[in-house]
Amino acid sequence: MSVNRRFVLKGAAVSSIGLTVDGFIPALAANFEAPIGDEATEPTMLALVNEGEAESMFLYGAMAAGKATLRVQKVGRDLGFMLDFERRLRHGLPMRVIGLLDDASATLIVDMARSGGARVQWLGQHTAEDGFTRHHVLSTDMSEGCAQQLSRQLHDCGAGFKLIEERQNGPMAPRQLIGLSRGASQSVQWASSIGYLLASIGTRTTLAAPLAPAANTPITGSFVSFSIDV
């Protein structure tokens, strides 16, 4: 299995979406910075998100990891960010890009990164329903163990889930992990745990992500997570 459009997006039109750096997630406004490529404030890690409850939980976990300077950029519907991101890919300065986005936005980011020679270390498709989540993860040697840690954290908090992990260009057969819901209210823990684990890739952390705060409303929908080394 390869990292490609079919895995991330089924039938979305690329021309239907653009990207922007406008706006803030209010609780995380202090982490929004200047456009990518500003050498004076060049971040070592960039988090790309849409605006929503799942994305806020993703950032909650990523910021808790505290492993590197984290900057946050919001994905919207303007070409400004896309052009800036493409320029950053050509610039050649090292940076890790992590994120949790809708399918269409993630497809653009992953395609641009691959075309620019960046290395995709993790790619995950996530479907959240009330009380249950499904995760299909494509991992590499660099992100080895992250899927297992995710499953352990979801199991520990009592969340119902199904997780399938495949190894990119590797001999490992697909691995499937299932956890039954134990009536817990931590339906948003998956997003926080993924943020924490992706921000910690390369550090071999064995610590669990912090328990996510309760969401105001159940998180449902389809999301894509990724970790890209530029």
Side-chain angles (χ1 to χ4, degrees):
M1 184 177 182
S2 62
V3 182
N4 55 33
R5 288 170 182 262
R6 184 166 55 84
F7 181 83
V8 183
L9 174 63
K10 299 175 182 177
V14 171
S15 61
S16 67
I17 187 169
L19 301 169
T20 185
V21 296
D22 294 338
F24 297 92
I25 296 176
L28 300 162
N31 287 77
F32 284 77
E33 294 291 342
I36 309 168
D38 182 346
E39 294 186 17
T41 58
E42 189 67 33
T44 57
M45 185 175 294
L46 174 70
L48 303 179
V49 293
N50 299 124
E51 187 172 83
E53 193 82 42
E55 292 83 349
S56 295
M57 293 299 103
F58 175 86
L59 292 176
Y60 178 84
M63 294 171 69
K67 300 299 182 182
T69 302
L70 179 68
R71 299 290 181 263
V72 180
Q73 294 283 330
K74 179 187 148 187
V75 175
R77 295 184 176 276
D78 186 281
L79 291 177
F81 174 80
M82 185 165 62
L83 295 174
D84 200 41
F85 186 66
E86 183 180 31
R87 179 170 60 89
R88 175 61 184 86
L89 292 173
R90 295 197 307 264
H91 202 271
L93 295 177
M95 181 175 68
R96 174 164 295 164
V97 182
I98 63 173
L100 185 70
L101 297 172
D102 64 88
D103 290 352
S105 299
T107 296
L108 286 175
I109 294 298
V110 172
D111 281 355
M112 291 174 65
R114 294 179 67 224
S115 297
R119 300 178 300 280
V120 180
Q121 305 289 7
W122 163 288
L123 187 60
Q125 179 83 51
H126 314 280
T127 302
E129 303 168 352
D130 190 11
F132 196 86
T133 57
R134 294 178 174 84
H135 312 272
H136 193 165
V137 172
L138 188 63
S139 62
T140 64
D141 290 343
M142 178 65 72
S143 57
E144 181 180 3
C146 287
Q148 288 180 293
Q149 288 189 58
L150 174 62
S151 68
R152 284 197 296 268
Q153 291 175 21
L154 294 178
H155 179 269
D156 289 346
C157 73
F161 69 93
K162 178 179 180 181
L163 189 153
I164 298 174
E165 180 187 13
E166 298 186 51
R167 180 63 61 85
Q168 181 182 1
N169 301 324
M172 187 183 79
R175 175 186 303 163
Q176 180 172 291
L177 302 165
I178 297 176
L180 300 178
S181 174
R182 300 196 300 276
S185 60
Q186 290 299 322
S187 60
V188 300
Q189 184 63 41
W190 67 271
S192 177
S193 293
I194 290 171
Y196 182 85
L197 291 169
L198 295 190
S200 302
I201 283 179
T203 63
R204 303 296 182 184
T205 181
T206 59
L207 300 176
L211 192 65
N216 295 326
T217 58
I219 293 176
T220 59
S222 180
F223 307 88
V224 174
S225 65
F226 51 84
S227 176
I228 301 169
D229 282 352
V230 178

